[in-house]
Amino acid sequence: MSTMDQLEPIEKASVDELHALQLKRLRWSLKHAYEKVPHYRKTFDAAGVRPDDLKDLAGLAKFPFTTKADLRANYPFGMFAAPMDDIVRVHASSGTTGRPTVVGYTKEDIATWSDVMARSIRAAGGRSTDIVHIAYGYGLFTGGLGAHYGAERLGATVVPVSGGMTERQVQLIRDFKPGIIMCTPSYLLVIGDEFLRQGLDPTQCGLRIGIFGAEPWTEGMQTELEKRFGIAALDLYGLSEVIGPGVAQECIETKDGLTVWEDHFYPEIVDPQSGAVLPDGRDGELILTSLTKIGMPVIRYRTRDLTRLLPGTARTMRRMARVTGRSDDMLIIRGVNVFPSQIEELICKTPALAPHYLLFVDKEGHLDTLTVRVELRQEMRYADRDTVAGELQHHIKSYIGVSSRIEVVAPYELERGTVGKAKRGVDRRAKA
């Protein structure tokens, strides 16, 4: 057995040992950010706090938040805490809502990232003897290269396919017989559709583990993927602003939420409106502080992801529940908060429907309207569409509390995403 296949000592350490390490690293990270990044010096000074003020972990709540707007305001390299001579890699978000957010990595940061991703793959059941098929996009998006470096660090064999070219994905999975696939959950559905289109059974392809991230997905989607491919479908969490994938990973032993790698990333949950820190077990917005990043530390970064923190089970470190949505992709429809993931759960429970969908929010007169476009499963293509639509419409009204129009289309009619995150909701009210 490779040494990379074994648990690291910190994963089994006592809570007291973990807290002592976190406090030591947190003090270093605050000092590093304050001394090397003008933005943090300015915001700490404005809040009347200094790194030396941190006496215990709870004291982090005195320090100001960092937001995506802060990162954009310091575009491109203003948040870096290391000179460009020491930055060996740059990644960036897509920038679809403005300037992209840019992140920089020193060689030490790349090593840390590789380590936490290797740890994540191992926690999901991966081993150095595995072949890992990576269908995350490569490039400025952190998914592909993050997964790639982690699988290599684990000692596994990497197949760096990237996203797209779905027919080729199927061919390579059949020919190379990887045990693990890493991609967005919505893209594995696309790959599954291609297997069926070719008359092939996805459960016979040899995959045993899927590691999925980059978009919120539901337990219904997890069940669908496991049934369709005969795999264990496990949740991976990360975001480029913090490091990329590898912040937290669901462990195969328990499959009960994502273990946060708390020796590198300190999590808090806050009320999205007030910013007040909430106790473990309460739902709110996830805040992350990097403990070991050199090139671009982040202090109390507002992820906008909604979840809650739970006690550790498979590891000493705490778990975070599956992300239910984002505080900034929440749709407010006639005063009701609606997340795409809520509707996805109901679609997955409707036997006639495939788990592909689009939401459209419009304004007719003074009233908001929600249209849900869904498609029939191939084997249910002759189902009565009005009956299927009525069933889903009833569930959305009963469980979420909003009225909706349901458009049921033929199998494979909805456009599939092939590389990045699936776009689920389109709010057309501002354009009306």
Side-chain angles (χ1 to χ4, degrees):
M1 178 186 285
S2 164
T3 56
M4 288 303 298
D5 291 337
Q6 301 170 16
L7 290 185
E8 298 167 51
I10 192 63
E11 294 178 78
K12 302 178 288 185
S14 69
V15 172
D16 287 345
E17 288 172 312
L18 176 62
H19 286 173
L21 179 65
Q22 287 174 320
L23 185 58
K24 177 183 174 183
R25 288 181 169 179
L26 188 54
R27 284 173 171 156
W28 173 85
S29 193
L30 290 171
K31 187 170 185 287
H32 180 57
Y34 184 78
E35 291 180 351
K36 300 294 176 64
V37 184
H39 169 82
Y40 285 120
R41 179 177 288 272
K42 186 174 88 174
T43 58
F44 285 18
D45 287 349
V49 289
R50 298 284 188 280
D52 290 343
D53 294 339
L54 187 80
K55 305 303 181 190
D56 52 32
L57 294 172
L60 184 60
K62 300 173 186 174
F63 289 79
F65 294 119
T66 307
T67 66
K68 184 164 279 199
D70 294 327
L71 272 56
R72 289 189 173 128
N74 288 279
Y75 175 90
F77 305 139
M79 298 295 283
F80 290 6
M84 289 306 294
D85 284 358
D86 293 339
I87 298 292
V88 299
R89 172 103 61 85
V90 168
H91 281 282
S93 70
S94 59
T96 52
T97 55
R99 283 179 170 177
T101 54
V102 178
V103 288
Y105 304 76
T106 65
K107 66 180 181 181
E108 294 88 355
D109 294 330
I110 296 294
T112 298
W113 191 14
S114 302
D115 287 343
V116 293
M117 271 305 303
R119 187 193 288 180
S120 296
I121 297 168
R122 175 171 44 73
R127 295 295 179 265
S128 58
T129 51
D130 273 306
I131 298 173
V132 182
H133 180 106
I134 298 175
Y136 284 119
Y138 280 66
L140 287 176
F141 172 63
T142 53
L145 284 166
H148 183 118
Y149 273 59
E152 283 190 349
R153 175 59 59 88
L154 185 64
T157 302
V158 179
V159 185
V161 190
S162 192
M165 298 182 294
T166 306
E167 290 183 25
R168 188 171 178 228
Q169 303 268 4
V170 170
Q171 178 192 339
L172 293 175
I173 291 169
R174 293 182 69 203
D175 294 347
F176 294 177
K177 295 183 170 46
I180 298 174
I181 188 165
M182 302 181 71
C183 60
T184 61
S186 59
Y187 188 47
L188 191 65
L189 287 175
V190 176
I191 293 173
D193 288 345
E194 181 59 26
F195 267 94
L196 297 175
R197 191 189 72 79
Q198 294 184 28
L200 303 170
D201 182 355
T203 65
Q204 301 304 307
C205 71
L207 288 170
R208 75 176 199 282
I209 294 168
I211 303 174
F212 306 112
E215 60 190 17
W217 55 303
T218 61
E219 290 180 11
M221 177 77 84
Q222 183 177 31
T223 301
E224 169 75 21
L225 292 172
E226 292 187 334
K227 180 180 175 184
R228 188 181 288 204
F229 279 87
I231 59 172
L234 297 152
D235 205 355
L236 167 69
Y237 178 80
L239 60 168
S240 62
E241 297 90 339
V242 174
I243 201 166
V247 172
Q249 170 66 48
E250 191 169 19
C251 297
I252 196 164
E253 309 97 293
T254 49
K255 292 182 70 177
D256 58 357
L258 301 105
T259 296
V260 182
W261 304 131
E262 284 197 80
D263 52 332
H264 293 283
F265 313 103
Y266 187 77
E268 302 169 272
I269 297 291
V270 303
D271 181 289
Q273 275 71 49
S274 70
V277 176
L278 299 174
D280 288 0
R282 290 276 300 278
D283 291 312
E285 180 184 341
L286 178 66
I287 308 298
L288 289 168
T289 297
S290 64
L291 302 181
T292 55
K293 278 181 69 184
I294 296 170
M296 190 182 135
V298 286
I299 308 301
R300 304 198 80 205
Y301 184 73
R302 297 198 67 152
T303 68
R304 298 296 181 188
D305 288 324
L306 300 176
T307 182
R308 66 186 184 278
L309 292 174
L310 302 163
T313 51
R315 305 290 188 276
T316 304
M317 301 161 196
R318 285 175 292 176
R319 293 167 295 141
M320 55 180 272
R322 182 184 300 276
V323 171
T324 56
R326 289 176 56 81
S327 61
D328 55 1
D329 79 352
M330 181 175 69
L331 301 168
I332 302 177
I333 302 170
R334 300 191 190 186
V336 178
N337 296 342
V338 179
F339 292 100
S341 58
Q342 294 174 302
I343 293 176
E344 179 183 296
E345 190 75 63
L346 298 176
I347 292 169
C348 288
K349 289 178 179 176
T350 306
L353 294 176
H356 299 288
Y357 63 96
L358 274 174
L359 312 180
F360 299 93
V361 184
D362 297 283
K363 186 173 284 292
E364 294 183 3
H366 297 295
L367 295 177
D368 298 328
T369 63
L370 171 65
T371 301
V372 182
R373 189 173 296 163
V374 290
E375 68 176 39
L376 293 168
R377 292 182 181 275
Q378 176 65 23
E379 64 272 22
M380 299 294 292
R381 59 191 179 277
Y382 300 120
D384 183 82
R385 296 187 185 189
D386 289 342
T387 301
V388 174
E391 181 182 352
L392 181 59
Q393 188 178 51
H394 170 74
H395 288 322
I396 292 173
K397 181 66 174 176
S398 299
Y399 287 99
I400 302 175
V402 294
S403 300
S404 59
R405 292 192 188 114
I406 310 297
E407 296 178 357
V408 181
V409 301
Y412 308 118
E413 189 169 317
L414 289 180
E415 182 180 349
R416 293 342 188 216
T418 59
V419 180
K421 307 175 187 183
K423 185 165 180 60
R424 298 302 198 186
V426 180
D427 192 338
R428 301 187 291 204
R429 287 173 291 190
K431 300 171 185 174

